[in-house]
Amino acid sequence: MPISDALRRDLADIEVLEDPRMVRLKSRDFFWFSPVLKRALDDKRADLVVVPRDKAELMRVAASCARHRVPITVRGGGTGNYGQAVPLSGGVVLDMAKLDRMIWQKPGAGRFQAGARMLEIDRLLAPLAHELRFYPSTRQAATIGGFVAGGAAGAGSCTWGQISDPGAVLGVEVVTVEETPRLIELRGRDVLKVMHAYGVNGIITEVEVPLAPLHPWCERIAVFPSLAAAAKFAHVFTECDGIAKKLVTVFDPQIVPYLRRLMPYAQAGEAMAIVMVSEPQAEAFELLAADHGGRVTFRRSAEEAQQAAYGGGDMPPIYEFTWNHTTLHAIRVEPSITYLQLRFPPVVNLELVDWVAKRFENEVLLHLEFQRRFGKVTCSSLPLVRYTTDARLDAVMAELDAKGVAVSNPHTYVLDNAGWKRVDAPQAEFKRLADPHGLMNPGKLVDWRAEPLRATA
Ligand SMILES: Cc1cc2nc3c(=O)[nH]c(=O)nc-3n(C[C@H](O)[C@H](O)[C@H](O)COP(=O)(O)OP(=O)(O)OC[C@H]3O[C@@H](n4cnc5c(N)ncnc54)[C@H](O)[C@@H]3O)c2cc1C
């Protein structure tokens, strides 16, 4: 019996998508930013997509997949970059879109269903004078569950660090994939068991996070005579604890022409800094930029910026030029471009930025995302790379690594590799508990030994 028939019988009255175009669409993410992953994943897809309405339906899907030994790949917004949400062995894609409610909010914290989109969460929180501490530049489409299971940082990280930092996630609820699924609440450090685990060890159904007080974030662009000058300014600005800020990004002058909408705000050869700053403190930002030889070329009020985020006007919110959105803009202009993921160690970050810019001039183009972590300011980068061959990409990563710039290879879909993708023992251990049949996102956790798939019960 074809696998989908058995499931369909079990899942009667739960929404199932089988239209081949829809199944293909929901089997993909943004892996195509990488020429390596594009080759590896382009033809991979699920057999069908299931869209549960609530937790009870979701648990029926989990039970049915366990009973029929069908692979199950959880999907949030599908905005991941490494094929995390691409099913390698067919089976079911579990679309979390309808589990999108706020469960509760209190001063300083909130709990949300995992399929809630981060922009929508902030929309709900705004009247309560709270907001998420940080969000990826894919805020509009990314879900909070997908951010925990596959994301890292974003707008807000200049103040609040990363999703894996202590206290960044207070608790998660996970559903196991077993014949009789269980609900498990992970709190404190136990959250790390499922964090950045690509949904290989449990379906996250709820996420509890600390919240920040809401600020009116206005947007500014300042230009500087060089990357070094812009980077120095951005570093000092991020260190200014007294100025509330949401985003501090710097672009090498070579990147600006790829950001078509922003080109009018810089002259050829100028480096650009983009910031989101609390509106009453915009003046303090402008004074500091001037101190560093900067010239402010773009100003948008907090109200206009908020309207842009919610879809008003034709200029997108400014964070949609930063983090990995920069790659998206560049690929639209020059399809052969790809990217890397780098973390510069604190204290020597500006020296190393300078070294990378000179050593890989015209090949690795830096944009810097400033962050405050563990009391120190540093920057990470998703630099654009003018791709030539896989071997060259590997050589560049090896050289950066040897120099002390931490590289998380974005050209692999498996966990267990270097950097952010290193998997700690508790994740594999937790998989034995939450996914004893090894059905969740198979192929992503290398060395995982599961029972044979699809042995029908
Ligand atoms: C243009 C662009 C810009 C980006 N910018 C950033 C950025 O600023 N910062 C950043 O960190 N990332 C960024 N990303 C990557 C991505 O958008 C984020 O990581 C985002 O948080 C992923 O959320 P999602 O809901 O789309 O997850 P998905 O892509 O749907 O899923 C990601 C992984 O998590 C798993 N998963 C999803 N939901 C669940 C769940 N409920 N339970 C268990 N597993 C689950 C999936 O199986 C998959 O393995 C960017 C990507 C693009 C394409």
Side-chain angles (χ1 to χ4, degrees):
M1 186 193 325
I3 201 168
S4 52
D5 285 352
L7 274 178
R8 215 182 289 109
R9 231 190 12 248
D10 263 16
L11 305 179
D13 73 333
I14 300 181
E15 186 180 345
V16 169
L17 311 175
E18 288 188 86
D19 171 59
R21 272 171 312 161
M22 193 49 90
V23 171
R24 178 174 184 273
L25 193 75
K26 297 269 184 184
S27 300
R28 295 170 73 79
D29 61 15
F30 285 76
F31 64 81
W32 49 268
F33 278 18
S34 158
V36 182
L37 295 182
K38 191 163 164 38
R39 263 178 263 131
L41 299 177
D42 221 20
D43 62 342
K44 302 280 183 280
R45 63 208 55 176
D47 294 304
L48 75 174
V49 179
V50 185
V51 196
R53 224 177 347 211
D54 52 31
K55 208 185 293 178
E57 285 194 354
L58 181 144
M59 289 174 85
R60 277 176 56 202
V61 181
S64 179
C65 284
R67 197 172 313 123
H68 298 293
R69 302 289 197 266
V70 173
I72 179 166
T73 304
V74 190
R75 181 182 182 84
T79 65
N81 288 119
Y82 330 118
Q84 298 112 302
V86 176
L88 300 179
S89 314
V92 161
V93 159
L94 178 73
D95 187 337
M96 297 296 291
K98 293 193 172 165
L99 279 88
D100 64 350
R101 283 188 306 110
M102 175 158 83
I103 294 162
W104 52 255
Q105 178 270 347
K106 62 184 181 186
R111 191 167 171 107
F112 309 91
Q113 286 189 316
R117 289 169 192 255
M118 298 180 85
L119 180 68
E120 292 310 314
I121 291 178
D122 271 342
R123 198 200 292 266
L124 292 171
L125 291 173
L128 307 164
H130 273 79
E131 63 179 19
L132 290 171
R133 286 179 163 187
F134 44 70
Y135 49 76
S137 61
T138 45
R139 181 191 193 195
Q140 188 182 5
T143 62
I144 192 151
F147 191 47
V148 170
S157 292
C158 57
T159 303
W160 297 107
Q162 300 215 163
I163 189 80
S164 58
D165 292 348
V169 180
L170 303 173
V172 294
E173 180 189 75
V174 173
V175 165
T176 62
V177 176
E178 299 174 280
E179 286 79 350
T180 308
R182 286 168 299 150
L183 282 169
I184 299 176
E185 176 79 10
L186 300 173
R187 300 202 66 84
R189 287 195 186 127
D190 280 346
V191 166
L192 296 174
K193 290 177 178 174
V194 293
M195 186 170 289
H196 216 258
Y198 293 6
V200 298
N201 58 4
I203 305 165
I204 301 171
T205 41
E206 294 180 8
V207 179
E208 191 177 315
V209 287
L211 301 174
L214 179 67
H215 279 270
W217 301 116
C218 68
E219 300 174 342
R220 294 288 186 272
I221 294 176
V223 290
F224 295 82
S226 64
L227 174 66
K232 175 74 183 154
F233 156 74
H235 191 101
V236 172
F237 177 60
T238 311
E239 282 179 334
C240 286
D241 295 331
I243 303 178
K245 59 188 87 65
K246 189 82 176 186
L247 181 71
V248 187
T249 301
V250 162
F251 298 98
D252 182 286
Q254 292 185 80
I255 291 185
V256 178
Y258 293 119
L259 310 174
R260 289 274 157 89
R261 300 298 308 276
L262 301 188
M263 270 177 76
Y265 305 109
Q267 289 171 8
E270 284 182 323
M272 190 179 257
I274 282 184
V275 307
M276 288 167 67
V277 59
S278 187
E279 197 149 50
Q281 295 187 296
E283 196 182 340
F285 153 78
E286 298 207 5
L287 289 171
L288 202 67
D291 287 350
H292 287 80
R295 186 166 53 89
V296 177
T297 56
F298 174 84
R299 295 178 178 86
R300 184 153 66 175
S301 72
E303 197 184 330
E304 288 163 339
Q306 198 188 32
Q307 275 165 12
Y310 292 125
D314 62 358
M315 170 77 156
I318 208 139
Y319 57 78
E320 287 189 4
F321 293 93
T322 67
W323 292 86
N324 224 6
H325 263 81
T326 313
T327 314
L328 183 63
H329 290 286
I331 287 178
R332 282 180 182 150
V333 176
E334 201 174 305
S336 62
I337 280 204
T338 187
Y339 75 111
L340 291 176
Q341 293 188 149
L342 311 179
R343 230 169 333 118
F344 290 90
V347 184
V348 291
N349 61 316
L350 294 184
E351 273 167 49
L352 284 170
V353 162
D354 207 39
W355 177 81
V356 175
K358 290 191 176 113
R359 173 71 186 91
F360 300 103
E361 196 189 4
N362 299 325
E363 184 181 17
V364 177
L365 315 182
L366 290 172
H367 59 105
L368 308 171
E369 307 297 341
F370 280 82
Q371 296 188 41
R372 172 175 285 284
R373 289 190 80 193
F374 304 106
K376 294 194 179 74
V377 168
T378 187
C379 49
S380 56
S381 180
L382 300 128
L384 304 181
V385 176
R386 295 200 167 112
Y387 172 81
T388 48
T389 63
D390 291 3
R392 177 63 192 153
L393 209 49
D394 288 342
V396 171
M397 284 193 275
E399 194 174 338
L400 288 163
D401 213 38
K403 187 75 182 174
V405 181
V407 180
S408 289
N409 181 4
H411 303 284
T412 172
Y413 57 78
V414 291
L415 289 159
D416 283 4
N417 276 5
W420 187 205
K421 293 188 176 184
R422 185 170 297 124
V423 178
D424 297 326
Q427 294 185 326
E429 226 171 85
F430 190 66
K431 186 169 170 71
R432 302 213 175 279
L433 197 81
D435 180 30
H437 305 303
L439 297 169
M440 295 202 69
N441 213 351
K444 301 292 167 61
L445 190 60
V446 293
D447 295 336
W448 174 259
R449 296 282 170 265
E451 295 164 36
L453 297 175
R454 298 187 177 201
T456 359

